[in-house]
Amino acid sequence: MLEQGRISALQMGMMIYSSIVTTSILYLPASTYNYAGKDLWLSPIPSAILSVMIVCLLYKLHDLYPRASIIQYSCSIVGRIGGKLIGAILLLFILFLSNQGLWQYGEFVSSYFLPLTPQVVILGTISFVSALAVYGGVEVMGRLSDLLTPLLLFMFLIILILLLPDIRGKNMLPIFANGVTPILKGSYFSNLWFCESLFITFFLPFLKNLEKGRKWGIVSVFFLLFTVMSMNLVALLVLGNATGSFNAPLMNAVQYINIADFLSHLEAIVMAAWIAGAFIKMYVFYYVLALGTAQWFNLSDYRPLVFPIAFLSVVIAIWQVPDVIAFRVYVQTVNSVVGPLLFIMIPLFLLLIAFLRKNKQNEKRMEQRQ
């Protein structure tokens, strides 16, 4: 087996939660507001439903093909050629998303805190430390999530509490002014982030308590839903109609914090916690890419691939996403259409074929007995 380490289902859930929530809370509010308006905080609900479906599909597939990820059992279900094609498509798209996630980190740090630092330095440092975590194995990653995920949750709670004096309830009214349609349009952007729950397929084979895998996968989705809804709502209540005019509305909302002219300018603290979340996000992406690629090529070890993938990610991120406009184009086109389509339809297709094959095998056994 490529990975000898073991993690708990809770650690898996924390890694999935942290890897998704880190960038979604920054960039989703602005994109969602442009379509859902003041109902942007309700748009993540349909996306969460899709995410729960993916978790259940993958858990069922894992029951049928234990000790294997989607890269491996796709070959058993649809044959070697078809399975390799599915695996290649998924890995290439995950690499595509990894590069964008890395660019988002660099763009955010550069825009708000280190404008004079070359982007390659910012991207290179986070990629290097993330690769070190992946090289240490899944157990190291799980323990890091034990340490850093509570920090993220504490940061979110502090933001909610400190922004209470700046909240204006009238900013969210009227609710359902134009019906459900704007909410569904807003969920168009959040679908991809929630559909990244597909990554649990790469962690399920290494769980100590597999029977709790589905439970904590679903729990992580609900925690993600609550966090994204809360942060979207806070951004709306503080910024009002200006929510859609900022690249990262939540950070702009944090700048409003001023308690008795003493507790203010907390952006650096928020940034420190956010970097911790970005660290989790990148090492989850790199682990999925390294492990998945090793499984695709039938290698005996994924570790030699870790640092080349990290280096490749930095190079492609700078080339693939030249500016904010290009990133928005990706979000509105490729990400929001191709991502959910791949991450939902491929597991559903594989599960249907697996059930059909199983039924045929059962029928043959019945005929042989007769």
Side-chain angles (χ1 to χ4, degrees):
M1 185 176 287
L2 288 171
E3 176 63 73
Q4 302 299 324
R6 290 292 183 270
I7 59 173
S8 68
L10 173 59
Q11 289 174 325
M12 179 195 73
M14 288 193 293
M15 280 192 283
I16 296 300
Y17 166 82
S18 299
S19 66
I20 299 175
V21 77
T22 301
T23 50
S24 62
I25 62 171
L26 288 180
Y27 295 100
L28 267 181
S31 301
T32 308
Y33 182 85
N34 293 329
Y35 286 83
K38 295 184 178 182
D39 292 327
L40 81 160
W41 59 284
L42 295 171
S43 290
I45 295 176
S47 302
I49 295 172
L50 293 178
S51 184
V52 170
M53 290 175 55
I54 292 174
V55 171
C56 293
L57 288 171
L58 293 170
Y59 190 81
K60 187 60 180 177
L61 281 166
H62 185 75
D63 279 345
L64 297 174
Y65 299 92
R67 298 183 180 180
S69 74
I70 195 171
I71 303 298
Q72 295 169 310
Y73 56 63
S74 59
C75 293
S76 302
I77 296 173
V78 297
R80 180 175 175 80
I81 296 177
K84 291 294 185 182
L85 179 61
I86 289 174
I89 292 173
L90 285 175
L91 289 173
L92 287 174
F93 190 72
I94 292 172
L95 176 63
F96 179 81
L97 295 180
S98 171
N99 301 332
Q100 287 187 42
L102 183 62
W103 179 87
Q104 289 174 59
Y105 167 82
E107 175 65 18
F108 181 70
V109 173
S110 177
S111 298
Y112 285 89
F113 294 95
L114 301 174
L116 301 180
T117 304
Q119 193 178 43
V120 66
V121 175
I122 298 173
L123 302 186
T125 51
I126 190 70
S127 294
F128 179 72
V129 295
S130 299
L132 285 177
V134 176
Y135 197 86
V138 71
E139 287 189 8
V140 172
M141 294 164 54
R143 290 169 184 169
L144 284 170
S145 67
D146 284 337
L147 176 66
L148 298 177
T149 302
L151 176 64
L152 280 176
L153 292 172
F154 180 72
M155 180 198 73
F156 297 148
L157 180 61
I158 292 298
I159 289 175
L160 289 174
I161 294 173
L162 294 181
L163 282 174
L164 287 177
D166 299 295
I167 284 176
R168 302 292 179 266
K170 64 180 181 179
N171 287 341
M172 67 182 293
L173 300 176
I175 301 174
F176 291 112
N178 298 307
V180 180
T181 303
I183 297 173
L184 295 177
K185 289 181 178 178
S187 67
Y188 172 80
F189 294 99
S190 56
N191 284 340
L192 177 64
W193 270 283
F194 279 83
C195 288
E196 287 177 9
S197 56
L198 175 125
F199 292 171
I200 71 167
T201 184
F202 296 94
F203 294 101
L204 287 174
F206 312 119
L207 295 187
K208 300 174 184 176
N209 44 353
L210 179 59
E211 68 281 357
K212 296 182 180 179
R214 178 168 54 185
K215 169 191 168 183
W216 282 107
I218 294 175
V219 168
S220 68
V221 173
F222 279 106
F223 264 93
L224 177 63
L225 172 63
F226 175 76
T227 305
V228 174
M229 287 182 66
S230 300
M231 294 303 155
N232 283 2
L233 185 59
V234 166
L236 175 66
L237 293 177
V238 174
L239 301 175
N241 293 329
T243 303
S245 61
F246 298 107
N247 289 328
L250 182 62
M251 181 56 69
N252 293 93
V254 170
Q255 293 173 349
Y256 279 78
I257 296 175
N258 187 352
I259 308 298
D261 293 325
F262 172 73
L263 191 60
S264 60
H265 301 291
L266 301 180
E267 297 90 339
I269 298 176
V270 174
M271 185 63 188
W274 189 83
I275 287 177
F279 174 48
I280 298 176
K281 184 180 186 71
M282 293 317 303
Y283 73 57
V284 167
F285 266 100
Y286 289 165
Y287 181 78
V288 167
L289 285 170
L291 181 67
T293 303
Q295 291 172 342
W296 197 87
F297 282 107
N298 295 320
L299 302 179
S300 59
D301 190 4
Y302 68 87
R303 286 175 176 82
L305 301 175
V306 174
F307 287 100
I309 286 175
F311 174 78
L312 183 66
S313 183
V314 173
V315 174
I316 298 181
I318 297 173
W319 168 79
Q320 178 183 316
V321 193
D323 50 40
V324 176
I325 296 176
F327 172 71
R328 288 181 174 176
V329 170
Y330 285 134
V331 170
Q332 295 175 3
T333 55
V334 180
N335 291 11
S336 300
V337 177
V338 178
L341 188 65
L342 289 178
F343 289 177
I344 295 172
M345 296 308 296
I346 287 180
L348 181 59
F349 169 74
L350 291 175
L351 185 60
L352 288 174
I353 299 298
F355 272 130
L356 290 174
R357 292 189 61 177
K358 187 176 181 180
N359 289 336
K360 286 185 178 180
Q361 291 175 355
N362 291 336
E363 289 177 1
K364 288 182 179 179
R365 290 173 184 173
M366 292 294 292
E367 290 176 358
Q368 292 174 355
R369 291 177 181 177
Q370 292 176 356

